[in-house]
Amino acid sequence: MSVHNEDIAAIFDEMADLLEIEDANPFRVRAYRNAARSVRSLGRELAEMVAKGEDLTQLPGIGKDLAAKIVERVQTGKVRALEKLHRKVPASLEDLLHIPGLGPKRVRLLFDELGIETLEQLAEAARAGRLQALPGFGAKTEQRIIDAIVAHRTQERRFLYSVARQYAEPLAAYLGETPGVERVVIAGSYRRGRETVGDLDILVTAVADSPVMDRFTAYDEVAEVISSGTTRATVILRSGLQVDLRVVPAHSLGAALHYFTGSKAHNIQIRRLGQQRGLKINEYGVFKGEHAIAGESEESVFASVGLPFIPPELRENRGEITAAREGRLPRLIERRDLHGDLHCHTRASDGHADMETMAIAAREAGLEYLAITDHSRHLSVAHGLDEKRLLQQIEEIDRLNERLHGITLLKGIEVDILEDGSLDLPDSVLAQLDLVVGAVHDHFGLSEKKQTARILRAMEQKYFTIFAHPSGRLLLKREAYAVDMPRVVEAARERGCFLELNAQPLRLDLKDTHCRLARERGVLLSINSDSHGPGGFGNLVCGINQARRGWLEKDDVLNTLPLSKLRKRLREMMG
Ligand code: DGT
Ligand code: CA
Ligand code: CA
């Protein structure tokens, strides 16, 4: 088991963070920070020094106590003092420390008073104005925290899933062509289908003398080799994307796959279950004493703690383990379950293709129906349709449907929700459509109360069918507008209308947790490509990823209905 200096430095940093949250003696905290810095600047591997029995206390910043922890880490693979701290302080609290203005004391307070453990929860609480109730937090602090979270997110350089995929798949294929390589799997957040990924974590099984490491570092997209050893290497691609590669023995693949797929929070829970059964679970296998009892497949790892296989998308420690134990895991939706797409654009507004081209592309994507939903007049930058042009388009769709085979076009519009919550076109014309997709395209800065009221009012309109990209966010670019999403979900339930899961990689809007909320409240989602050209239907798979992360099953999604049933459902809704 190779231990690198960075592993040890990271442990010391982590311990310093956790001790600070615990309000420990500042001298102790500083000792850990100094040690981390010292370890990082060493010219040689600590593991090697340990193996040779050298005296570590000779190193700057390393006393007897810290030297013992290094030895413990190298020889046993763990540090008991860190595990003890983790039992007291949730690991995600460390992330909160990276927000300027949030010191350990405040992090502790947020956790104790509001149960905030993650940046996500912090952002939500701040936007909801709940921080102001805490001593020492005012409206200004709250705003600063929101801004800082935004800055922090863009700073840590993440890649859209769809971007990462462009680099990941060719690299995986390249590695797969190496002599002696048996399997290549991209694990980590990528395998969990997260909307953005920080880096790629690739696992490979190979015969002993496979040149896979050399081939990896020689890959022509590699800009920098950060580290490379016999079983692990890290490179930065020219794109800036970091890739971690690990070569694991075939009999450990399941254990490694489970470990490196994460999430960390999920892994910790699984390991805990193992501990309760006297098992040690790590990236090498599941061990009873010295004896490996599982680890070749992921199924065997789950089975060792009495669980069925949990799909990667669910592994976020959001109740999937309990659900698995109780046999309540969802049967996740798949791409082939989609029968149609209810949101796309043509040249009539801001699309790049005509209606027929879009229809044929949708048919080739295996769809049975496609709703044409160009923009409405208020969105003048997109050359939105007024009443007259929309009526012409309706006629054009009728004519086209007579000619087309294997695909049916539905009549729709992406109508602007105006500032007061009214719709951009009159009922008299909306009544002639199969469906009406409503969207917010301006006044993003309204207060949460006003924005929510605006949306709720729009949803009450007689011909409102689907609320498009409900939060308005653009990943890594623009935060969601302030809106009370649980209220919106509730209103959709009462009104019997639908919410969109916009599948554009930059949107993926609704986000996973809100998809799940909608499912729990019985509100159907429509997974729409929002295509602006014939290539757009390929994005549906990104929407499916997101839906799976939101625990959605086929029956939770409107456009899994075959056309006849969809029509019936829409007619009921449109009165
Ligand atoms: P990312 O890259 O930020 O999008 O997210 P992940 O989930 O891919 O995280 P990454 O690349 O840091 O690590 C990959 C997986 O390895 C992670 O999901 C779980 C596992 N892992 C990494 N560090 C730890 C750790 O300290 N403890 C445990 N239990 N698992 C870890
Ligand atoms: Ca990763
Ligand atoms: Ca990684």
Side-chain angles (χ1 to χ4, degrees):
M1 180 190 328
S2 57
V3 180
H4 295 275
N5 290 355
E6 177 56 31
D7 303 332
I8 290 162
I11 286 173
F12 289 161
D13 267 341
E14 194 174 355
M15 291 189 70
D17 287 342
L18 294 169
L19 284 168
E20 270 199 284
I21 294 172
E22 265 219 311
D23 202 14
N25 182 331
F27 290 101
R28 258 184 93 199
V29 174
R30 200 167 319 138
Y32 279 107
R33 297 251 183 254
N34 288 340
R37 208 172 308 129
S38 168
V39 167
R40 285 201 172 92
S41 61
L42 278 184
R44 357 178 357 209
E45 286 279 90
L46 283 167
E48 190 195 314
M49 295 177 71
V50 170
K52 290 188 175 153
E54 291 179 38
D55 181 8
L56 302 179
T57 62
Q58 302 296 313
L59 300 171
I62 307 291
K64 246 178 109 177
D65 179 54
L66 292 175
K69 290 195 171 64
I70 295 173
V71 173
E72 186 192 2
R73 174 64 183 83
V74 172
Q75 293 180 342
T76 71
K78 60 180 184 182
V79 175
R80 278 164 303 170
L82 176 61
E83 291 183 347
K84 200 167 140 198
L85 278 171
H86 268 154
R87 281 195 289 275
K88 289 197 278 186
V89 186
S92 57
L93 286 185
E94 294 162 60
D95 296 343
L96 304 187
L97 282 178
H98 297 136
I99 299 302
L102 279 192
K105 286 211 173 62
R106 282 184 158 173
V107 168
R108 180 90 231 177
L109 188 70
L110 290 166
F111 175 63
D112 286 343
E113 297 299 322
L114 299 177
I116 291 171
E117 288 185 37
T118 64
L119 280 177
E120 198 87 290
Q121 290 166 346
L122 178 65
E124 263 174 40
R127 276 197 226 101
R130 283 191 280 127
L131 303 189
Q132 294 185 36
L134 298 178
F137 286 79
K140 279 212 179 105
T141 322
E142 203 166 56
Q143 189 53 47
R144 267 205 308 274
I145 287 174
I146 294 173
D147 295 345
I149 293 173
V150 175
H152 177 77
R153 282 197 183 133
T154 43
Q155 183 188 47
E156 74 170 328
R157 183 100 212 249
R158 298 185 65 81
F159 290 73
L160 289 182
Y161 177 88
S162 59
V163 172
R165 187 179 54 195
Q166 291 169 25
Y167 301 115
E169 300 294 339
L171 174 54
Y174 166 87
L175 292 172
E177 289 157 9
T178 312
V181 164
E182 284 147 5
R183 285 198 58 192
V184 180
V185 192
I186 309 169
S189 53
Y190 187 83
R191 183 161 179 248
R192 303 201 308 281
R194 274 196 60 181
E195 55 208 26
T196 63
V197 304
D199 69 2
L200 294 176
D201 308 278
I202 304 185
L203 296 182
V204 161
T205 57
V207 300
D209 55 354
S210 168
V212 63
M213 277 300 169
D214 291 341
R215 245 177 75 89
F216 176 56
T217 51
Y219 187 52
D220 69 355
E221 282 182 36
V222 169
E224 192 185 343
V225 178
I226 302 291
S227 69
S228 94
T230 51
T231 61
R232 54 191 270 184
T234 296
V235 304
I236 311 263
L237 301 181
R238 282 200 303 269
S239 54
L241 184 60
Q242 177 175 315
V243 187
D244 295 337
L245 179 72
R246 289 174 197 257
V247 181
V248 301
H251 63 83
S252 291
L253 179 63
L257 205 46
H258 182 262
Y259 183 91
F260 291 108
T261 294
S263 66
K264 196 169 157 182
H266 166 92
N267 287 356
I268 288 168
Q269 294 307 321
I270 295 288
R271 258 200 325 260
R272 205 164 277 169
L273 284 184
Q275 278 160 11
Q276 288 165 11
R277 292 164 179 246
L279 302 174
K280 194 172 104 190
I281 302 179
N282 58 29
E283 61 266 52
Y284 305 100
V286 179
F287 298 89
K288 190 162 216 155
E290 294 296 294
H291 194 64
I293 61 156
E296 191 169 343
S297 67
E298 272 190 320
E299 282 82 356
S300 75
V301 175
F302 285 117
S304 75
V305 290
L307 298 177
F309 180 83
I310 300 176
E313 296 91 334
L314 301 184
R315 299 183 200 168
E316 297 289 349
N317 192 27
R318 292 178 182 157
E320 72 278 9
I321 292 170
T322 311
R325 189 167 37 229
E326 294 170 359
R328 289 190 291 105
L329 284 176
R331 252 188 91 142
L332 297 179
I333 184 169
E334 294 174 24
R335 169 63 178 84
R336 63 162 183 258
D337 294 328
L338 292 182
H339 275 250
D341 187 344
L342 298 177
H343 184 171
C344 84
H345 298 267
T346 72
R347 224 174 248 155
S349 63
D350 60 350
H352 323 300
D354 60 30
M355 226 151 42
E356 184 163 2
T357 307
M358 294 302 283
I360 289 166
R363 186 176 64 196
E364 276 165 12
L367 303 178
E368 183 193 356
Y369 52 87
L370 172 67
I372 301 295
T373 57
D374 274 308
H375 287 290
S376 66
R377 61 189 174 189
H378 182 73
L379 203 62
S380 47
V381 290
H383 196 45
L385 274 60
D386 58 16
E387 195 170 334
K388 189 165 156 242
R389 290 177 64 216
L390 180 56
L391 290 172
Q392 280 168 2
Q393 193 181 57
I394 289 173
E395 285 179 19
E396 210 185 319
I397 290 175
D398 280 334
R399 281 197 300 272
L400 204 50
N401 271 336
E402 282 177 23
R403 281 202 285 123
L404 288 170
H405 299 285
I407 181 88
T408 300
L409 294 180
L410 298 175
K411 300 161 191 164
I413 185 85
E414 178 177 8
V415 68
D416 266 45
I417 296 173
L418 303 181
E419 189 181 1
D420 64 358
S422 61
L423 303 180
D424 187 27
L425 288 167
D427 280 357
S428 56
V429 56
L430 298 181
Q432 305 184 44
L433 299 169
D434 296 309
L435 77 164
V436 173
V437 176
V440 166
H441 288 124
D442 57 11
H443 300 287
F444 293 132
L446 292 183
S447 69
E448 179 179 317
K449 200 169 154 205
K450 284 198 174 134
Q451 194 70 273
T452 306
R454 171 194 191 187
I455 291 163
L456 261 43
R457 175 143 186 257
M459 288 169 67
E460 280 161 16
Q461 307 297 312
K462 180 149 194 241
Y463 296 109
F464 188 101
T465 322
I466 299 174
F467 182 30
H469 40 71
S471 83
R473 72 173 181 175
L474 296 180
L475 288 166
L476 308 174
K477 281 201 175 154
R478 183 175 79 200
E479 289 292 294
Y481 39 71
V483 59
D484 183 346
M485 202 57 81
R487 263 308 281 291
V488 171
V489 170
E490 219 38 50
R493 189 181 65 80
E494 284 162 16
R495 170 69 171 81
C497 66
F498 312 103
L499 299 179
E500 180 176 75
L501 194 189
N502 189 294
Q504 283 194 57
L506 191 62
R507 289 193 182 269
L508 293 172
D509 185 3
L510 282 181
K511 68 174 180 176
D512 51 10
T513 48
H514 285 146
C515 288
R516 188 166 168 197
L517 178 66
R519 163 181 153 88
E520 282 164 5
R521 302 303 300 148
V523 172
L524 292 196
L525 293 171
S526 184
I527 301 177
N528 298 335
S529 73
D530 194 359
S531 291
H532 285 67
F537 301 107
N539 288 333
L540 284 170
V541 70
C542 297
I544 293 289
N545 271 351
Q546 183 82 342
R548 290 169 65 88
R549 290 182 55 80
W551 293 52
L552 299 189
E553 301 188 346
K554 183 180 172 189
D555 290 348
D556 300 318
V557 174
L558 177 65
N559 48 327
T560 61
L561 291 176
L563 181 59
S564 54
K565 288 201 171 137
L566 176 89
R567 278 197 191 281
K568 189 158 167 271
R569 185 89 202 221
L570 290 178
R571 268 199 302 271
E572 283 164 13
M573 142 106 256
M574 305 274 280

